Amino acid sequence: MTRVLLTGFEPFDGESTNPSWQAVRAAAAEPPAGLEIVAAELPCVYGAARVALRDAIEEARPEIVVCVGQAGGRPDITVERLAVNVDDARIPDVSGARPVDEVIVPGGPAAYFSTLPIKACVAAVRAAGLPASVSNTAGTFVCNHVFYGLAHLIATELPDIRGGFVHVPFAPEQVLDRGRPSLPVASVAQALREIAATAATVRTDIRVAEGATH
């Protein structure tokens, strides 16, 4: 059995729910064959989220870590390519903190690439009939903060773990009368199962064009 840690976030920015955590819990409740999925909820708070992630990794001792966050406005499941070493908050986190142009890890690299087979993961989600794409920016909010923290842990302390980050759209109940894209939580959970299963079985990513012109 391959053990996969999936993390989601608590609600933020005035929302009463966060589909990342809802979908992570659902995926963990019905894991794909051959996988054990452990779910952990992270606070949407700079600093504390990285501490909670480290604690979850130490407790679960996974082989693969997939952190998941809400990207309201995106229409599909987006598998992130890289994390950047900067916190720059347009909105405050749940604690009210709003860092601007602050490094996450002093002296750390400017960026880290995901160690997941990101393009194979996207292909697997599409094959399941769900929309997905590669994303080249995880933003500069708490999602990127956690992604960079995970990547730094892998690079400096936990080389046997592979990990990355996935952004998911709003849930339908979050966008009533707003006209913004959404996906049902059940669909997002299925996408996360496909990503976890692909990450567990694919070591060398597929070579297909998934880049962006802007």
Side-chain angles (χ1 to χ4, degrees), residues 2 11 29 37 52 66 68 93-94 96 105 117 120 136 139 144 147-148 178 208:
T2 299
I37 296 181
V66 182
V68 185
D93 69 10
V94 171
V105 177
N136 294 304
N144 175 76
F147 184 15
Y148 190 92
R178 292 198 217 174
V208 295

Side-chain angles (χ1 to χ4, degrees), residues 26 31 46 62 66 73 87 94 97 103 116 124 137 147 164 166-167 177-178 184-185 195 202 208 211:
Y46 287 104
V66 182
D87 291 333
V94 171
V103 297
L116 301 180
T137 175
F147 184 15
V166 175
H167 267 122
D177 302 321
R178 292 198 217 174
V185 168
I195 290 168
V202 176
V208 295

Side-chain angles (χ1 to χ4, degrees), residues 167-181:
H167 267 122
V168 303
F170 281 131
E173 62 267 25
Q174 293 177 282
V175 295
L176 295 175
D177 302 321
R178 292 198 217 174
R180 305 188 74 183

Side-chain angles (χ1 to χ4, degrees), residues 37-116:
I37 296 181
V38 178
E41 184 180 28
L42 305 182
C44 190
V45 177
Y46 287 104
R50 287 174 56 205
V51 173
L53 173 63
R54 177 187 281 274
D55 290 345
I57 291 172
E58 289 179 352
E59 181 176 350
R61 298 189 179 278
E63 296 163 70
I64 296 167
V65 181
V66 182
C67 297
V68 185
Q70 171 190 294
R74 291 189 186 182
D76 58 353
I77 306 296
T78 51
V79 183
E80 298 295 343
R81 191 192 298 262
L82 76 165
V84 296
N85 192 11
V86 65
D87 291 333
D88 191 7
R90 180 180 57 81
I91 60 173
D93 69 10
V94 171
S95 76
R98 193 175 177 183
V100 174
D101 296 340
E102 295 183 10
V103 297
I104 299 168
V105 177
Y112 284 111
F113 285 105
S114 173
T115 53
L116 301 180

